């Protein structure tokens, strides 16, 4: 069976805000999400400070490991994947500017 792997990433870029969705989950769900995200081989999980409803909190995010970034360095996302990310942003109410900006560098 062939499974197409699809990847998004958060890349630090000098103070730019990153918008996303926030969920409260239990440890079992986090464990399942780790498996889905390929932690720790494809993605690493990090605790980062966030602002939610004016309050500073900590949240877990997944970022590509260096080897995953190297592996995908010259790849471009499929139209299907971009549509999937677009639907996720729209359904979660995430501003589309960061998706548009990310796609500007795609050839």
């Amino acid at each position: 069976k062939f499974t197409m792997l699809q990847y998004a990433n958060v890349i630090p870029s000098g103070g730019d805000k990153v918008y996303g969705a926030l969920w409260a989950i239990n440890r079992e769900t986090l464990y399942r999400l780790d498996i889905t995200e390929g932690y720790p081989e494809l993605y690493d999980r990090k605790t980062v400070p966030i602002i939610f409803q004016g309050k500073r909190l900590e949240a877990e995010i997944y970022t590509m490991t260096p080897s995953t970034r190297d592996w995908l360095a010259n790849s471009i996302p499929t139209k299907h994947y971009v549509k999937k990310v677009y639907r996720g942003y729209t359904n979660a109410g995430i501003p589309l500017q960061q998706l548009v900006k990310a796609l500007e560098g795609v050839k």
Side-chain angles (χ1 to χ4, degrees):
K1 179 179 175 182
F2 175 75
T3 303
M4 185 174 83
L5 300 175
Q6 302 171 76
Y7 306 92
N9 197 22
V10 175
I11 302 170
S13 60
D16 286 350
K17 290 181 181 178
V18 175
Y19 295 92
L22 182 64
W23 287 274
I25 61 174
N26 61 28
R27 291 220 177 263
E28 176 64 25
T29 302
L30 182 61
Y31 171 76
R32 290 185 197 157
L33 191 55
D34 281 347
I35 293 168
T36 299
E37 296 298 333
Y39 170 79
E41 290 83 21
L42 296 175
Y43 280 87
D44 189 17
R45 182 166 32 92
K46 298 179 180 182
T47 303
V48 297
I50 65 163
I51 303 298
F52 178 71
Q53 296 181 341
K55 295 180 183 175
R56 185 179 172 96
L57 304 173
E58 289 187 339
E60 300 288 325
I61 66 167
Y62 291 93
T63 60
M64 286 182 186
T65 62
S67 60
T68 302
R69 283 194 310 272
D70 291 346
W71 178 47
L72 296 171
N74 296 315
S75 66
I76 61 171
T78 65
K79 288 181 184 179
H80 173 76
Y81 184 63
V82 172
K83 287 180 183 178
K84 186 185 236 183
V85 173
Y86 174 85
R87 280 193 311 272
Y89 272 48
T90 302
N91 291 338
I94 300 168
L96 294 174
Q97 300 93 297
Q98 68 188 17
L99 178 60
V100 170
K101 185 177 179 181
L103 292 171
E104 287 173 355
V106 175
K107 298 173 184 165

